[in-house]
Short mmCIF file of all heavy atoms in Angstrom, two decimals:
data_model
loop_
_atom_site.label_atom_id
_atom_site.label_comp_id
_atom_site.label_asym_id
_atom_site.label_seq_id
_atom_site.Cartn_x
_atom_site.Cartn_y
_atom_site.Cartn_z
N SER I 1 44.83 57.85 41.19
CA SER I 1 43.53 57.67 41.76
C SER I 1 43.25 56.18 41.94
O SER I 1 43.61 55.36 41.10
CB SER I 1 42.49 58.29 40.83
OG SER I 1 41.20 57.98 41.28
N ASN I 2 42.60 55.84 42.99
CA ASN I 2 42.26 54.44 43.24
C ASN I 2 40.95 54.04 42.59
O ASN I 2 40.63 52.86 42.51
CB ASN I 2 42.17 54.18 44.74
CG ASN I 2 43.52 54.29 45.40
OD1 ASN I 2 44.53 54.08 44.76
ND2 ASN I 2 43.53 54.63 46.66
N MET I 3 40.18 55.02 42.11
CA MET I 3 38.90 54.71 41.49
C MET I 3 38.82 55.42 40.14
O MET I 3 38.96 56.63 40.06
CB MET I 3 37.75 55.16 42.38
CG MET I 3 37.69 54.41 43.69
SD MET I 3 36.38 54.98 44.77
CE MET I 3 34.96 54.92 43.74
N ILE I 4 38.62 54.63 39.10
CA ILE I 4 38.51 55.18 37.75
C ILE I 4 37.27 54.59 37.10
O ILE I 4 37.02 53.40 37.21
CB ILE I 4 39.76 54.84 36.91
CG1 ILE I 4 40.99 55.45 37.56
CG2 ILE I 4 39.60 55.29 35.49
CD1 ILE I 4 42.28 55.04 36.93
N THR I 5 36.51 55.42 36.42
CA THR I 5 35.32 54.97 35.71
C THR I 5 35.38 55.46 34.28
O THR I 5 35.71 56.61 34.03
CB THR I 5 34.04 55.51 36.38
OG1 THR I 5 34.01 55.08 37.73
CG2 THR I 5 32.81 55.03 35.67
N THR I 6 35.10 54.54 33.35
CA THR I 6 34.99 54.92 31.95
C THR I 6 33.93 54.06 31.29
O THR I 6 33.74 52.91 31.66
CB THR I 6 36.35 54.79 31.21
OG1 THR I 6 36.19 55.26 29.88
CG2 THR I 6 36.84 53.37 31.19
N ARG I 7 33.22 54.60 30.33
CA ARG I 7 32.18 53.87 29.63
C ARG I 7 32.58 53.55 28.19
O ARG I 7 31.85 52.92 27.47
CB ARG I 7 30.88 54.66 29.64
CG ARG I 7 30.34 54.87 31.04
CD ARG I 7 29.06 55.70 31.00
NE ARG I 7 28.64 56.06 32.32
CZ ARG I 7 27.80 55.37 33.06
NH1 ARG I 7 27.30 54.25 32.61
NH2 ARG I 7 27.45 55.79 34.25
N SER I 8 33.75 53.98 27.81
CA SER I 8 34.22 53.78 26.45
C SER I 8 35.09 52.54 26.36
O SER I 8 35.70 52.11 27.34
CB SER I 8 35.04 55.01 26.02
OG SER I 8 35.57 54.80 24.75
N ASP I 9 35.17 51.96 25.17
CA ASP I 9 36.06 50.81 24.95
C ASP I 9 37.47 51.25 24.61
O ASP I 9 38.41 50.48 24.76
CB ASP I 9 35.52 49.91 23.84
CG ASP I 9 34.40 49.02 24.33
OD1 ASP I 9 34.30 48.80 25.55
OD2 ASP I 9 33.63 48.52 23.49
N VAL I 10 37.64 52.46 24.12
CA VAL I 10 38.96 52.99 23.80
C VAL I 10 39.11 54.31 24.57
O VAL I 10 38.27 55.20 24.46
CB VAL I 10 39.14 53.23 22.28
CG1 VAL I 10 40.51 53.82 22.00
CG2 VAL I 10 38.94 51.94 21.51
N PHE I 11 40.17 54.39 25.36
CA PHE I 11 40.34 55.59 26.17
C PHE I 11 41.81 55.89 26.39
O PHE I 11 42.67 55.04 26.22
CB PHE I 11 39.60 55.48 27.52
CG PHE I 11 39.97 54.27 28.32
CD1 PHE I 11 40.96 54.33 29.29
CD2 PHE I 11 39.33 53.05 28.10
CE1 PHE I 11 41.29 53.22 30.03
CE2 PHE I 11 39.66 51.94 28.85
CZ PHE I 11 40.65 52.02 29.81
N THR I 12 42.09 57.11 26.78
CA THR I 12 43.45 57.59 27.02
C THR I 12 43.70 57.67 28.52
O THR I 12 42.84 58.13 29.27
CB THR I 12 43.64 58.99 26.40
OG1 THR I 12 43.31 58.92 25.02
CG2 THR I 12 45.06 59.46 26.56
N VAL I 13 44.89 57.25 28.92
CA VAL I 13 45.30 57.32 30.31
C VAL I 13 46.54 58.20 30.38
O VAL I 13 47.49 57.98 29.63
CB VAL I 13 45.63 55.92 30.87
CG1 VAL I 13 46.09 56.00 32.31
CG2 VAL I 13 44.45 54.98 30.72
N HIS I 14 46.52 59.18 31.25
CA HIS I 14 47.69 60.02 31.51
C HIS I 14 48.16 59.67 32.91
O HIS I 14 47.35 59.67 33.85
CB HIS I 14 47.33 61.51 31.46
CG HIS I 14 46.87 61.96 30.11
ND1 HIS I 14 47.72 62.57 29.23
CD2 HIS I 14 45.67 61.88 29.50
CE1 HIS I 14 47.06 62.85 28.13
NE2 HIS I 14 45.82 62.45 28.27
N PHE I 15 49.45 59.37 33.06
CA PHE I 15 49.94 59.05 34.39
C PHE I 15 51.36 59.56 34.58
O PHE I 15 52.05 59.88 33.63
CB PHE I 15 49.83 57.55 34.69
CG PHE I 15 50.60 56.64 33.78
CD1 PHE I 15 51.84 56.16 34.16
CD2 PHE I 15 50.08 56.26 32.55
CE1 PHE I 15 52.55 55.30 33.33
CE2 PHE I 15 50.78 55.41 31.72
CZ PHE I 15 52.03 54.93 32.11
N ARG I 16 51.76 59.61 35.83
CA ARG I 16 53.04 60.16 36.23
C ARG I 16 53.77 59.11 37.07
O ARG I 16 53.16 58.49 37.95
CB ARG I 16 52.80 61.41 37.05
CG ARG I 16 54.00 62.09 37.59
CD ARG I 16 53.53 63.32 38.35
NE ARG I 16 54.64 64.02 38.96
CZ ARG I 16 54.49 65.07 39.72
NH1 ARG I 16 53.28 65.54 39.97
NH2 ARG I 16 55.53 65.66 40.24
N VAL I 17 55.06 58.94 36.82
CA VAL I 17 55.88 58.01 37.59
C VAL I 17 57.05 58.79 38.18
O VAL I 17 57.80 59.44 37.46
CB VAL I 17 56.42 56.86 36.70
CG1 VAL I 17 57.33 55.95 37.50
CG2 VAL I 17 55.28 56.08 36.07
N ARG I 18 57.17 58.72 39.49
CA ARG I 18 58.28 59.40 40.17
C ARG I 18 59.15 58.33 40.82
O ARG I 18 58.67 57.51 41.60
CB ARG I 18 57.75 60.36 41.23
CG ARG I 18 58.87 61.03 42.02
CD ARG I 18 58.36 62.05 42.97
NE ARG I 18 58.06 63.28 42.23
CZ ARG I 18 57.57 64.37 42.78
NH1 ARG I 18 57.30 64.41 44.06
NH2 ARG I 18 57.34 65.43 42.04
N THR I 19 60.43 58.38 40.51
CA THR I 19 61.41 57.46 41.10
C THR I 19 62.24 58.25 42.11
O THR I 19 62.72 59.34 41.82
CB THR I 19 62.34 56.90 40.01
OG1 THR I 19 61.55 56.34 38.97
CG2 THR I 19 63.25 55.83 40.57
N PHE I 20 62.39 57.67 43.31
CA PHE I 20 63.12 58.38 44.35
C PHE I 20 63.88 57.39 45.22
O PHE I 20 63.63 56.19 45.18
CB PHE I 20 62.16 59.24 45.20
CG PHE I 20 61.08 58.45 45.90
CD1 PHE I 20 61.22 58.11 47.23
CD2 PHE I 20 59.94 58.07 45.23
CE1 PHE I 20 60.23 57.39 47.87
CE2 PHE I 20 58.94 57.35 45.86
CZ PHE I 20 59.09 57.01 47.19
N VAL I 21 64.84 57.91 45.98
CA VAL I 21 65.67 57.08 46.84
C VAL I 21 65.44 57.44 48.30
O VAL I 21 64.93 58.50 48.64
CB VAL I 21 67.17 57.24 46.50
CG1 VAL I 21 67.46 56.73 45.12
CG2 VAL I 21 67.62 58.67 46.65
N GLN I 22 65.86 56.53 49.15
CA GLN I 22 65.78 56.73 50.59
C GLN I 22 66.86 57.72 51.03
O GLN I 22 67.99 57.67 50.55
CB GLN I 22 65.97 55.38 51.29
CG GLN I 22 65.84 55.41 52.77
CD GLN I 22 66.03 54.02 53.37
OE1 GLN I 22 66.67 53.16 52.78
NE2 GLN I 22 65.46 53.81 54.53
N ASN I 23 66.52 58.61 51.94
CA ASN I 23 67.48 59.55 52.49
C ASN I 23 68.50 58.76 53.33
O ASN I 23 68.12 58.10 54.30
CB ASN I 23 66.78 60.60 53.35
CG ASN I 23 67.71 61.65 53.88
OD1 ASN I 23 68.74 61.35 54.47
ND2 ASN I 23 67.33 62.90 53.70
N PRO I 24 69.78 58.81 52.97
CA PRO I 24 70.78 58.00 53.69
C PRO I 24 71.01 58.44 55.14
O PRO I 24 71.44 57.64 55.96
CB PRO I 24 72.05 58.18 52.86
CG PRO I 24 71.86 59.43 52.10
CD PRO I 24 70.38 59.60 51.90
N GLU I 25 70.70 59.68 55.44
CA GLU I 25 70.92 60.19 56.80
C GLU I 25 69.76 59.89 57.73
O GLU I 25 69.95 59.52 58.89
CB GLU I 25 71.18 61.69 56.75
CG GLU I 25 72.45 62.06 56.02
CD GLU I 25 72.60 63.56 55.85
OE1 GLU I 25 71.82 64.33 56.43
OE2 GLU I 25 73.52 63.96 55.10
N THR I 26 68.52 60.08 57.23
CA THR I 26 67.34 59.90 58.09
C THR I 26 66.67 58.55 57.90
O THR I 26 65.89 58.12 58.74
CB THR I 26 66.31 61.00 57.81
OG1 THR I 26 65.82 60.84 56.47
CG2 THR I 26 66.90 62.38 58.00
N GLY I 27 66.92 57.89 56.76
CA GLY I 27 66.26 56.62 56.47
C GLY I 27 64.83 56.79 55.98
O GLY I 27 64.12 55.82 55.79
N VAL I 28 64.42 58.04 55.75
CA VAL I 28 63.04 58.33 55.34
C VAL I 28 62.91 58.23 53.81
O VAL I 28 63.78 58.69 53.08
CB VAL I 28 62.62 59.74 55.82
CG1 VAL I 28 61.25 60.12 55.28
CG2 VAL I 28 62.64 59.81 57.33
N TRP I 29 61.82 57.63 53.36
CA TRP I 29 61.48 57.58 51.93
C TRP I 29 60.52 58.73 51.68
O TRP I 29 59.34 58.65 52.00
CB TRP I 29 60.80 56.26 51.59
CG TRP I 29 61.70 55.07 51.71
CD1 TRP I 29 61.92 54.32 52.82
CD2 TRP I 29 62.49 54.50 50.67
NE1 TRP I 29 62.80 53.31 52.54
CE2 TRP I 29 63.17 53.40 51.22
CE3 TRP I 29 62.69 54.81 49.34
CZ2 TRP I 29 64.02 52.61 50.49
CZ3 TRP I 29 63.55 54.01 48.61
CH2 TRP I 29 64.21 52.93 49.17
N ASP I 30 61.02 59.85 51.13
CA ASP I 30 60.21 61.04 50.94
C ASP I 30 60.24 61.44 49.47
O ASP I 30 61.20 62.03 48.99
CB ASP I 30 60.74 62.18 51.81
CG ASP I 30 59.90 63.44 51.71
OD1 ASP I 30 58.89 63.44 50.97
OD2 ASP I 30 60.26 64.43 52.37
N ALA I 31 59.16 61.13 48.75
CA ALA I 31 59.09 61.43 47.31
C ALA I 31 58.87 62.91 47.04
O ALA I 31 58.86 63.32 45.88
CB ALA I 31 57.97 60.61 46.67
N THR I 32 58.70 63.72 48.08
CA THR I 32 58.54 65.16 47.88
C THR I 32 59.85 65.92 48.09
O THR I 32 59.92 67.11 47.81
CB THR I 32 57.46 65.73 48.83
OG1 THR I 32 57.87 65.55 50.18
CG2 THR I 32 56.12 65.05 48.59
N ASP I 33 60.87 65.24 48.58
CA ASP I 33 62.17 65.87 48.81
C ASP I 33 62.92 65.94 47.48
O ASP I 33 63.26 64.91 46.90
CB ASP I 33 62.98 65.05 49.82
CG ASP I 33 64.38 65.59 50.05
OD1 ASP I 33 64.69 66.70 49.57
OD2 ASP I 33 65.17 64.89 50.71
N PRO I 34 63.19 67.15 46.98
CA PRO I 34 63.85 67.28 45.67
C PRO I 34 65.20 66.57 45.58
O PRO I 34 65.58 66.10 44.52
CB PRO I 34 64.03 68.79 45.50
CG PRO I 34 63.03 69.40 46.42
CD PRO I 34 62.86 68.44 47.56
N ASP I 35 65.91 66.44 46.70
CA ASP I 35 67.21 65.76 46.70
C ASP I 35 67.07 64.25 46.55
O ASP I 35 68.04 63.56 46.21
CB ASP I 35 67.98 66.08 47.98
CG ASP I 35 68.38 67.54 48.06
OD1 ASP I 35 68.57 68.16 46.98
OD2 ASP I 35 68.50 68.06 49.18
N SER I 36 65.89 63.71 46.83
CA SER I 36 65.67 62.27 46.75
C SER I 36 65.09 61.82 45.41
O SER I 36 65.06 60.64 45.12
CB SER I 36 64.72 61.82 47.87
OG SER I 36 65.29 62.06 49.13
N ILE I 37 64.63 62.76 44.60
CA ILE I 37 63.97 62.42 43.33
C ILE I 37 65.02 62.11 42.27
O ILE I 37 65.88 62.92 41.98
CB ILE I 37 63.05 63.56 42.87
CG1 ILE I 37 61.94 63.78 43.90
CG2 ILE I 37 62.46 63.24 41.49
CD1 ILE I 37 61.11 65.02 43.65
N LEU I 38 64.91 60.92 41.68
CA LEU I 38 65.80 60.52 40.59
C LEU I 38 65.19 60.84 39.23
O LEU I 38 65.89 61.25 38.31
CB LEU I 38 66.10 59.02 40.66
CG LEU I 38 66.82 58.53 41.91
CD1 LEU I 38 66.99 57.02 41.84
CD2 LEU I 38 68.15 59.23 42.08
N ASP I 39 63.89 60.62 39.12
CA ASP I 39 63.19 60.88 37.85
C ASP I 39 61.73 61.18 38.15
O ASP I 39 61.14 60.62 39.07
CB ASP I 39 63.30 59.65 36.93
CG ASP I 39 62.70 59.91 35.56
OD1 ASP I 39 62.96 60.99 34.99
OD2 ASP I 39 61.98 59.03 35.05
N ASP I 40 61.15 62.06 37.37
CA ASP I 40 59.74 62.43 37.50
C ASP I 40 59.20 62.57 36.08
O ASP I 40 59.40 63.60 35.44
CB ASP I 40 59.62 63.73 38.28
CG ASP I 40 58.20 64.02 38.72
OD1 ASP I 40 57.32 63.15 38.53
OD2 ASP I 40 57.96 65.12 39.25
N SER I 41 58.56 61.52 35.59
CA SER I 41 58.15 61.47 34.18
C SER I 41 56.64 61.33 34.04
O SER I 41 55.97 60.75 34.89
CB SER I 41 58.81 60.28 33.49
OG SER I 41 60.20 60.38 33.54
N ARG I 42 56.15 61.86 32.93
CA ARG I 42 54.73 61.75 32.59
C ARG I 42 54.60 60.89 31.33
O ARG I 42 55.46 60.93 30.45
CB ARG I 42 54.13 63.12 32.35
CG ARG I 42 54.13 63.97 33.59
CD ARG I 42 53.60 65.38 33.31
NE ARG I 42 53.75 66.23 34.45
CZ ARG I 42 52.89 66.29 35.46
NH1 ARG I 42 51.82 65.55 35.45
NH2 ARG I 42 53.11 67.10 36.47
N TYR I 43 53.51 60.13 31.27
CA TYR I 43 53.27 59.23 30.15
C TYR I 43 51.82 59.37 29.68
O TYR I 43 50.95 59.78 30.45
CB TYR I 43 53.50 57.77 30.57
CG TYR I 43 54.93 57.47 30.92
CD1 TYR I 43 55.42 57.72 32.19
CD2 TYR I 43 55.80 56.94 29.97
CE1 TYR I 43 56.73 57.45 32.52
CE2 TYR I 43 57.11 56.66 30.29
CZ TYR I 43 57.57 56.92 31.57
OH TYR I 43 58.88 56.65 31.87
N VAL I 44 51.59 58.98 28.44
CA VAL I 44 50.24 58.89 27.90
C VAL I 44 50.11 57.50 27.28
O VAL I 44 51.04 56.99 26.66
CB VAL I 44 49.93 60.01 26.88
CG1 VAL I 44 50.84 59.94 25.69
CG2 VAL I 44 48.47 59.99 26.47
N MET I 45 48.94 56.87 27.49
CA MET I 45 48.71 55.52 27.02
C MET I 45 47.30 55.43 26.42
O MET I 45 46.35 55.97 27.00
CB MET I 45 48.85 54.54 28.19
CG MET I 45 48.58 53.10 27.86
SD MET I 45 49.03 51.96 29.21
CE MET I 45 48.05 52.53 30.56
N LEU I 46 47.18 54.77 25.28
CA LEU I 46 45.89 54.55 24.65
C LEU I 46 45.52 53.08 24.84
O LEU I 46 46.28 52.19 24.45
CB LEU I 46 45.95 54.90 23.16
CG LEU I 46 44.65 54.78 22.38
CD1 LEU I 46 43.60 55.74 22.94
CD2 LEU I 46 44.89 55.06 20.91
N VAL I 47 44.37 52.84 25.46
CA VAL I 47 43.93 51.50 25.81
C VAL I 47 42.68 51.14 25.02
O VAL I 47 41.75 51.95 24.93
CB VAL I 47 43.63 51.40 27.33
CG1 VAL I 47 43.18 50.01 27.71
CG2 VAL I 47 44.84 51.82 28.15
N ASP I 48 42.66 49.91 24.46
CA ASP I 48 41.50 49.40 23.74
C ASP I 48 40.99 48.16 24.46
O ASP I 48 41.68 47.13 24.49
CB ASP I 48 41.87 49.06 22.31
CG ASP I 48 40.73 48.45 21.51
OD1 ASP I 48 39.60 48.38 22.03
OD2 ASP I 48 40.98 48.03 20.37
N ARG I 49 39.82 48.24 25.04
CA ARG I 49 39.25 47.07 25.72
C ARG I 49 38.03 46.52 24.98
O ARG I 49 37.21 45.82 25.56
CB ARG I 49 38.91 47.42 27.16
CG ARG I 49 37.81 48.45 27.30
CD ARG I 49 37.48 48.66 28.74
NE ARG I 49 36.34 49.58 28.84
CZ ARG I 49 35.82 49.97 29.96
NH1 ARG I 49 36.29 49.52 31.09
NH2 ARG I 49 34.81 50.80 29.97
N SER I 50 37.94 46.81 23.69
CA SER I 50 36.79 46.35 22.91
C SER I 50 36.73 44.83 22.81
O SER I 50 35.66 44.27 22.63
CB SER I 50 36.78 46.98 21.51
OG SER I 50 37.96 46.63 20.81
N GLY I 51 37.86 44.13 22.95
CA GLY I 51 37.86 42.66 22.89
C GLY I 51 37.79 42.01 24.25
O GLY I 51 37.94 40.79 24.37
N VAL I 52 37.55 42.78 25.29
CA VAL I 52 37.49 42.23 26.65
C VAL I 52 36.04 41.89 26.98
O VAL I 52 35.18 42.76 27.07
CB VAL I 52 38.06 43.25 27.68
CG1 VAL I 52 37.89 42.72 29.09
CG2 VAL I 52 39.50 43.55 27.37
N ASP I 53 35.79 40.59 27.14
CA ASP I 53 34.44 40.12 27.45
C ASP I 53 34.35 39.40 28.79
O ASP I 53 33.27 39.28 29.35
CB ASP I 53 33.94 39.19 26.34
CG ASP I 53 33.84 39.90 25.00
OD1 ASP I 53 33.34 41.04 24.97
OD2 ASP I 53 34.29 39.32 23.99
N THR I 54 35.49 38.89 29.28
CA THR I 54 35.50 38.16 30.54
C THR I 54 36.65 38.71 31.40
O THR I 54 37.56 39.36 30.88
CB THR I 54 35.72 36.65 30.31
OG1 THR I 54 37.05 36.44 29.83
CG2 THR I 54 34.71 36.07 29.33
N PRO I 55 36.65 38.43 32.69
CA PRO I 55 37.74 38.90 33.55
C PRO I 55 39.11 38.35 33.15
O PRO I 55 40.14 38.94 33.48
CB PRO I 55 37.35 38.38 34.94
CG PRO I 55 35.87 38.23 34.88
CD PRO I 55 35.56 37.82 33.47
N GLU I 56 39.15 37.24 32.44
CA GLU I 56 40.42 36.67 32.01
C GLU I 56 41.01 37.38 30.79
O GLU I 56 42.19 37.23 30.49
CB GLU I 56 40.24 35.17 31.67
CG GLU I 56 39.91 34.29 32.87
CD GLU I 56 38.45 34.37 33.28
OE1 GLU I 56 37.58 34.64 32.42
OE2 GLU I 56 38.17 34.18 34.47
N ASP I 57 40.20 38.15 30.07
CA ASP I 57 40.67 38.87 28.88
C ASP I 57 41.47 40.10 29.29
O ASP I 57 41.23 40.69 30.34
CB ASP I 57 39.48 39.32 28.01
CG ASP I 57 38.69 38.15 27.45
OD1 ASP I 57 39.28 37.06 27.33
OD2 ASP I 57 37.51 38.34 27.14
N SER I 58 42.40 40.48 28.44
CA SER I 58 43.23 41.67 28.71
C SER I 58 43.00 42.71 27.64
O SER I 58 42.82 42.39 26.46
CB SER I 58 44.71 41.29 28.71
OG SER I 58 45.01 40.40 29.75
N PRO I 59 43.02 43.98 28.02
CA PRO I 59 42.91 45.04 27.02
C PRO I 59 44.20 45.14 26.21
O PRO I 59 45.25 44.65 26.63
CB PRO I 59 42.69 46.30 27.86
CG PRO I 59 43.29 45.98 29.17
CD PRO I 59 43.13 44.51 29.37
N ARG I 60 44.13 45.80 25.06
CA ARG I 60 45.32 46.03 24.24
C ARG I 60 45.82 47.44 24.50
O ARG I 60 45.04 48.38 24.54
CB ARG I 60 44.98 45.88 22.76
CG ARG I 60 44.64 44.47 22.36
CD ARG I 60 44.43 44.28 20.86
NE ARG I 60 43.67 45.37 20.25
CZ ARG I 60 43.92 45.89 19.05
NH1 ARG I 60 44.92 45.42 18.32
NH2 ARG I 60 43.19 46.86 18.56
N ILE I 61 47.13 47.56 24.66
CA ILE I 61 47.75 48.87 24.77
C ILE I 61 48.17 49.27 23.37
O ILE I 61 49.04 48.65 22.76
CB ILE I 61 48.99 48.82 25.71
CG1 ILE I 61 48.64 48.22 27.07
CG2 ILE I 61 49.61 50.21 25.84
CD1 ILE I 61 47.52 48.94 27.80
N LEU I 62 47.49 50.27 22.82
CA LEU I 62 47.74 50.69 21.45
C LEU I 62 48.88 51.69 21.34
O LEU I 62 49.52 51.82 20.30
CB LEU I 62 46.48 51.31 20.83
CG LEU I 62 45.25 50.39 20.81
CD1 LEU I 62 44.07 51.14 20.24
CD2 LEU I 62 45.53 49.13 20.03
N TYR I 63 49.13 52.39 22.44
CA TYR I 63 50.11 53.49 22.41
C TYR I 63 50.60 53.74 23.82
O TYR I 63 49.80 53.83 24.74
CB TYR I 63 49.43 54.72 21.83
CG TYR I 63 50.28 55.96 21.73
CD1 TYR I 63 51.11 56.15 20.62
CD2 TYR I 63 50.23 56.95 22.68
CE1 TYR I 63 51.87 57.29 20.51
CE2 TYR I 63 50.98 58.09 22.57
CZ TYR I 63 51.81 58.26 21.48
OH TYR I 63 52.57 59.40 21.35
N LEU I 64 51.91 53.84 23.99
CA LEU I 64 52.50 54.23 25.26
C LEU I 64 53.71 55.10 24.96
O LEU I 64 54.64 54.67 24.27
CB LEU I 64 52.94 53.00 26.07
CG LEU I 64 53.65 53.29 27.39
CD1 LEU I 64 52.79 54.09 28.35
CD2 LEU I 64 54.10 52.00 28.04
N GLN I 65 53.65 56.34 25.44
CA GLN I 65 54.70 57.30 25.09
C GLN I 65 55.03 58.17 26.29
O GLN I 65 54.13 58.64 26.99
CB GLN I 65 54.24 58.18 23.95
CG GLN I 65 55.26 59.17 23.47
CD GLN I 65 56.44 58.53 22.77
OE1 GLN I 65 56.25 57.62 21.98
NE2 GLN I 65 57.63 58.96 23.10
N LYS I 66 56.32 58.38 26.52
CA LYS I 66 56.75 59.33 27.53
C LYS I 66 56.53 60.74 26.98
O LYS I 66 56.82 61.01 25.83
CB LYS I 66 58.23 59.12 27.85
CG LYS I 66 58.74 59.95 28.99
CD LYS I 66 60.16 59.56 29.33
CE LYS I 66 60.67 60.36 30.50
NZ LYS I 66 62.03 59.94 30.90
N VAL I 67 55.98 61.61 27.83
CA VAL I 67 55.68 62.98 27.43
C VAL I 67 56.72 63.89 28.05
O VAL I 67 57.04 63.78 29.24
CB VAL I 67 54.27 63.38 27.92
CG1 VAL I 67 53.95 64.81 27.56
CG2 VAL I 67 53.23 62.42 27.39
N SER I 68 57.23 64.82 27.27
CA SER I 68 58.22 65.76 27.81
C SER I 68 57.55 66.68 28.81
O SER I 68 56.42 67.11 28.63
CB SER I 68 58.89 66.55 26.70
OG SER I 68 57.93 67.28 25.98
N ASN I 69 58.26 66.99 29.88
CA ASN I 69 57.71 67.83 30.96
C ASN I 69 57.67 69.27 30.57
O ASN I 69 58.34 69.93 30.03
CB ASN I 69 58.51 67.66 32.23
CG ASN I 69 58.30 66.28 32.82
OD1 ASN I 69 57.33 65.61 32.52
ND2 ASN I 69 59.21 65.84 33.66
#
């Protein structure tokens, strides 16, 4: 999603990363083609932004784990 809203300082993020290759015959980059998919993984991350007061501050990643499909 391009737009995320949260009001909490500590929150969980679930996301998916798909790695794929270009089709050598057509030259098309198609992440929906099962033959082009190298990896399709899900992750969970716990973020703490309680120490973020200015745009220069960064949140802390408390937990990042790959989740089995």
Side-chain angles (χ1 to χ4, degrees):
S1 173
N2 292 334
M3 296 178 52
I4 298 173
T5 302
T6 184
R7 296 179 188 268
S8 176
D9 281 340
V10 179
F11 55 94
T12 304
V13 179
H14 296 263
F15 61 98
R16 178 179 178 183
V17 177
R18 177 175 281 179
T19 307
F20 60 99
V21 295
Q22 183 179 25
N23 183 309
E25 296 173 9
T26 65
V28 174
W29 293 88
D30 183 1
T32 63
D33 176 10
D35 294 331
S36 297
I37 298 171
L38 298 178
D39 185 44
D40 193 6
S41 300
R42 296 176 187 275
Y43 295 85
V44 62
M45 178 170 58
L46 183 61
V47 180
D48 177 6
R49 66 176 184 180
S50 59
V52 176
D53 297 316
T54 68
E56 293 79 28
D57 296 336
S58 296
R60 292 186 318 141
I61 306 303
L62 301 178
Y63 179 85
L64 176 60
Q65 183 69 43
K66 186 174 182 176
V67 178
S68 60
N69 291 340

